[in-house]
């Protein structure tokens, strides 16, 4: 009987297989996902909107005390790396730490090179939420996240089968309730639109039974 040749490409720096991403693909995904998420954050900041998750807590701190969103976002994510390391592995943790770091830096740099003089809050909510959702979707599909609630949502999806988008939406609602302490009802309404747009993007497009590449 003739030998059957394994036609799968070896996984290395440049090459990937149908089951695993290459290193270059993962690096590209971390950069692309972080860039999209940072741009979404800039749109939300331009309209003084909020969002859920640790990003939402970062916004609350930015509007309440003298700290930049990037610094608050980076610091808030530190406790979640332990869960990521223990439950999702060191590779996931390193990629997530990198994504959070890049996003934190970009949210401080982009407002200096992109000037938004006026933006409708509803438009900012829709496009900002969509951009962050797409950025997180890229990261999720490469076994990474933007930290915080995203780590918890991915863990619960892997362990219990709960949709990551719906889990994060529930957690985001808790953060948005706290937003009543610092924002007007209209701002909170637009922020809810952003959170729903973000999490529906994840819930509809990210399913482990459809996308299995690691």
């Amino acid at each position: 009987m003739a030998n059957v040749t394994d036609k799968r490409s070896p996984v290395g720096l440049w090459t990937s297989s149908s089951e695993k991403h290459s290193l270059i693909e993962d690096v590209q995904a971390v950069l692309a996902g972080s860039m999209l998420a940072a741009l979404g954050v800039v749109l939300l900041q331009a309209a003084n909107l909020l969002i859920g998750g640790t990003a939402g807590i970062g916004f609350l701190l930015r509007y309440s005390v003298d700290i930049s969103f990037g610094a608050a976002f980076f610091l808030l994510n530190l406790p979640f790396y332990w869960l990521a390391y223990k439950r999702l592995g060191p590779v996931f943790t390193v990629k997530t730490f990198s994504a959070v770091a890049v996003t934190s830096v970009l949210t401080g740099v982009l407002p200096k090179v992109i000037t938004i003089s006026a933006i409708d809050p509803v438009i900012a909510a829709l496009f900002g939420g969509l951009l962050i959702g797409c950025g997180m979707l890229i990261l999720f599909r490469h076994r990474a996240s933007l930290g915080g609630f995203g780590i918890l949502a991915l863990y619960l999806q892997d362990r219990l089968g709960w949709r990551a988008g719906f889990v994060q939406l529930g957690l985001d609602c808790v953060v948005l309730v706290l937003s009543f302490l610092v924002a007007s009802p209209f701002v909170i309404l637009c922020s809810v639109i952003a959170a729903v747009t973000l999490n529906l993007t994840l819930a509809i497009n990210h399913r482990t039974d459809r996308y299995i590449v690691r």
Side-chain angles (χ1 to χ4, degrees), residues 17-92:
S17 71
S18 59
E19 292 85 18
K20 188 174 181 61
H21 292 114
S22 69
L23 176 60
I24 293 298
E25 288 173 335
D26 281 339
V27 170
Q28 181 274 334
V30 168
L31 291 175
S34 301
M35 290 168 69
L36 287 174
L39 183 57
V41 167
V42 169
L43 291 180
L44 296 180
Q45 286 185 143
N48 291 319
L49 299 184
L50 300 144
I51 198 70
T54 49
I57 300 175
F59 274 125
L60 289 175
L61 291 175
R62 173 179 177 265
Y63 298 143
S64 303
V65 298
D66 186 21
I67 186 173
S68 69
F69 169 83
F73 182 61
F74 183 82
L75 293 174
L76 286 167
N77 276 291
L78 292 178
F80 288 93
Y81 295 130
W82 180 86
L83 175 62
Y85 179 78
K86 298 293 287 187
R87 298 299 185 181
L88 297 168
V91 175
F92 175 91

Side-chain angles (χ1 to χ4, degrees), residues 26 30 90-100 142-145:
D26 281 339
V30 168
V91 175
F92 175 91
T93 305
V94 169
K95 287 190 285 189
T96 296
F97 180 86
S98 300
V100 170
H142 285 258
R143 299 298 295 168
S145 77

Side-chain angles (χ1 to χ4, degrees), residues 1 22 57 68 72 78 82 95 106-107 125 128 130 149 163 182 187 211:
M1 181 181 294
S22 69
I57 300 175
S68 69
L78 292 178
W82 180 86
K95 287 190 285 189
L106 287 178
T107 54
L130 181 61
F149 293 167
R163 292 281 189 89
V182 299
V187 167
Y211 197 87

Side-chain angles (χ1 to χ4, degrees), residues 1-24:
M1 181 181 294
N3 291 331
V4 177
T5 302
D6 187 353
K7 296 182 178 181
R8 293 177 300 175
S9 300
V11 179
L13 183 65
W14 291 95
T15 57
S16 63
S17 71
S18 59
E19 292 85 18
K20 188 174 181 61
H21 292 114
S22 69
L23 176 60
I24 293 298

Side-chain angles (χ1 to χ4, degrees), residues 104-114:
S104 298
V105 171
L106 287 178
T107 54
V109 171
L110 287 181
K112 299 177 181 179
V113 296
I114 298 176

